[in-house]
Amino acid sequence: MNAVVVGAQWGDEGKGKVVDRYAARAQWVVRYQGGNNAGHTLVVNGEKTILHLIPSGILNPEVRCAIGNGLVVDLDVLTREMDALAGRGLDLSDRLLISPAAHLILPHHRALDRARERKDAIGTTGRGIGPAYEDKVSRRGVRVGDLFNPDRLGARIRARLPEVEAQLGFLGESDPGLDADAIIESCLAHAERLRPHVADVGEALWQAQKTGERILFEGAQGVLLDIDHGTYPYVTSSNTVSGQASSGTGVGPNAVGRVVGILKAYCTRVGSGPFPSELRAEEAERLRQAGGEFGATTGRPRRCGWLDLVALRYAVRVAGIQQIVVTKLDVLGGFGDLPVCTAYEVDGRRIDNYPEDPDVLERAVPVLENRPGFPRFEGARSLDDLPAEARSYVEGIAQVLEVDLALVSVGPGRGEDLELMDPFA
């Protein structure tokens, strides 16, 4: 059986660490959406690796990785990651595939993203993700496959730039410094470097599945940032739910397999948007410092809050989550009693379901129930090694969500996990 890993909150749940662990049992790890606005942090033998585009399974030398058609790709970021991994002795020559149908993030996308954010901030990373997806949907984007057709590449870039410059002028950017020749030249400079890696990802995965190879689909961001199902408009520009694993890679939905949702033992969010269980001032800072809650991509401090079971029930529904992984349980050690959000109160009325209207969610006041806290712990290698209250905390989450508890992470390093079931079994 294959498996897909999705974030069950607003991203930053620790998906990279989990994918790195599960990749040891897979033959393929595939990204299916997003761009370099995602940062997956891996700690192996004390060495930290942050990946933004290349799948987190790449540190497992027997695993092949793929970037699916559902991504938007910044060529500079991709080649820097490839260079950094090669510098550590990792051979990517036959281990990394890139779909020719993935779209490119170009300088004018980044310029538009930053200009819009300055005018009306919604919390984007300024990496050009949204504008690149806009061009894709409006059928005027540039794809990886266009790198090998210079005439088509040039024509598309030259046709788009005047419109972008007009938009930038409206946003107050009178001299954006965009040069079509320079953009085209930069793209072509990457073409030969990437040519050996560009291949039909969907066909490769279909053939792999027919021979019984295991595929792990790696999501980015989190369910609550999904363009359709998240806290719109404070969302990312792609579908983050598990269903996108099919259309974002070129295989049928029957190939996706089991859905594993990753969630923190508490909750964080980056950027603007409603966050009912958010903590204020000193409490938030204490949790932020204890959990190292600063963005892997931007370095921005993350907003912190208590666990929100209302939002998690919604994530289970829209992403079809069957198993959960709870990360950063160790961070809560020593915090005392742990409030958990079990419902919302909106305009004096209690609601148990997650409202899809962001204005309603903005007014939501969390209904909190205390769970017994637990002392700091270290060295746990099974649930029995945990303080009784810590074990009860994670088992209670699975019970409320009506899912299986697959793994509990109790530290940042490889191996600091308590595994209860195999997602591929």
Side-chain angles (χ1 to χ4, degrees):
M1 176 179 286
N2 300 326
V4 54
V5 165
V6 298
Q9 295 160 317
W10 280 284
D12 307 309
E13 302 94 347
K15 295 180 292 296
K17 179 178 189 285
V18 176
V19 169
D20 173 65
R21 180 185 181 93
Y22 287 161
R25 287 166 239 169
Q27 285 72 50
W28 287 86
V29 178
V30 190
R31 275 280 306 274
Y32 59 85
Q33 50 79 216
N36 56 300
N37 52 341
H40 290 175
T41 303
L42 316 174
V43 180
V44 180
N45 298 324
E47 183 175 10
K48 181 185 288 188
T49 302
I50 299 176
L51 298 169
H52 299 91
L53 285 170
I54 295 177
S56 301
I58 200 68
L59 299 187
N60 290 270
E62 304 303 317
V63 174
R64 300 185 74 188
C65 292
I67 292 172
N69 57 276
L71 273 77
V72 288
V73 176
D74 185 312
L75 295 172
D76 291 329
V77 173
L78 177 58
T79 53
R80 281 200 302 270
E81 286 190 13
M82 292 170 66
D83 289 342
L85 293 168
R88 294 170 53 177
L90 286 170
D91 182 7
L92 306 184
S93 57
D94 63 347
R95 295 186 54 223
L96 178 65
L97 297 187
I98 305 165
S99 170
H103 278 247
L104 298 182
I105 300 171
L106 298 172
H108 49 279
H109 296 131
R110 293 190 291 271
L112 265 178
D113 204 357
R114 291 191 295 265
R116 289 172 177 169
E117 189 68 10
R118 283 192 289 269
K119 186 176 179 65
D120 186 16
I122 62 170
T124 78
T125 60
R127 269 43 177 192
I129 311 298
Y133 274 117
E134 288 176 37
D135 278 2
K136 172 181 178 175
V137 173
S138 63
R139 299 176 297 280
R140 56 190 175 190
V142 179
R143 309 202 296 180
V144 170
D146 295 328
L147 294 173
F148 313 108
N149 188 326
D151 291 340
R152 186 169 66 201
L153 174 75
R156 289 188 173 176
I157 291 173
R158 293 184 194 282
R160 184 72 180 108
L161 279 190
E163 295 180 31
V164 172
E165 289 170 341
Q167 292 178 63
L168 289 170
F170 175 77
L171 294 167
E173 304 290 327
S174 58
D175 185 19
L178 298 172
D179 183 284
D181 290 337
I183 295 172
I184 294 164
E185 182 179 350
S186 175
C187 288
L188 293 176
H190 289 289
E192 292 311 307
R193 171 73 188 282
L194 297 183
R195 187 185 292 274
H197 300 281
V198 177
D200 187 336
V201 167
E203 174 68 18
L205 297 179
W206 188 48
Q207 295 298 334
Q209 187 179 15
K210 289 200 295 185
T211 58
E213 294 184 0
R214 286 175 169 175
I215 303 167
L216 181 60
F217 298 90
E218 178 183 12
Q221 290 89 35
V223 169
L224 301 179
L225 290 177
D226 186 277
I227 185 68
D228 288 307
H229 304 290
T231 50
Y232 190 89
Y234 304 101
V235 292
T236 193
S237 302
S238 60
N239 288 110
T240 61
V241 294
S242 55
Q244 178 65 17
S246 172
S247 59
T249 58
V251 296
N254 61 322
V256 172
R258 184 168 283 115
V259 182
V260 183
I262 317 300
L263 60 103
K264 282 177 183 167
Y266 48 96
C267 208
T268 64
R269 177 165 194 166
V270 172
S272 304
F275 185 1
S277 66
E278 183 172 11
L279 291 168
R280 305 299 176 188
E282 292 85 1
E283 272 189 317
E285 185 60 24
R286 182 187 175 197
L287 190 52
R288 186 178 299 118
Q289 294 296 333
E293 296 300 346
F294 300 88
T297 297
T298 64
R300 289 183 294 180
R302 296 171 183 146
R303 300 159 63 189
C304 295
W306 298 123
L307 190 72
D308 187 336
L309 292 173
V310 183
L312 285 171
R313 286 196 297 267
Y314 174 75
V316 166
R317 172 171 69 83
V318 297
I321 294 169
Q322 299 159 295
Q323 295 181 356
I324 59 168
V325 172
V326 181
T327 64
K328 292 198 169 184
L329 179 66
D330 54 305
V331 170
L332 293 181
F335 265 76
D337 283 351
L338 300 170
V340 172
C341 177
T342 58
Y344 300 145
E345 188 176 280
V346 179
D347 302 331
R349 181 172 60 91
R350 179 186 171 113
I351 60 173
D352 297 308
N353 294 324
Y354 191 77
E356 291 191 312
D357 186 331
D359 292 337
V360 175
L361 193 61
E362 196 72 69
R363 301 197 304 275
V365 177
V367 176
L368 299 174
E369 295 181 4
N370 280 342
R371 301 289 191 266
F374 45 87
R376 293 185 178 90
F377 63 88
E378 58 183 24
R381 291 297 175 264
S382 73
L383 282 183
D384 292 334
D385 294 335
L386 293 175
E389 298 85 354
R391 177 170 181 168
S392 176
Y393 185 81
V394 293
E395 290 180 334
I397 296 170
Q399 183 177 9
V400 169
L401 300 181
E402 300 182 273
V403 295
D404 294 321
L405 180 62
L407 186 144
V408 180
S409 178
V410 293
R414 203 184 243 180
E416 294 184 277
D417 307 298
L418 321 177
E419 185 166 337
L420 295 114
M421 55 184 59
D422 183 348
F424 298 107

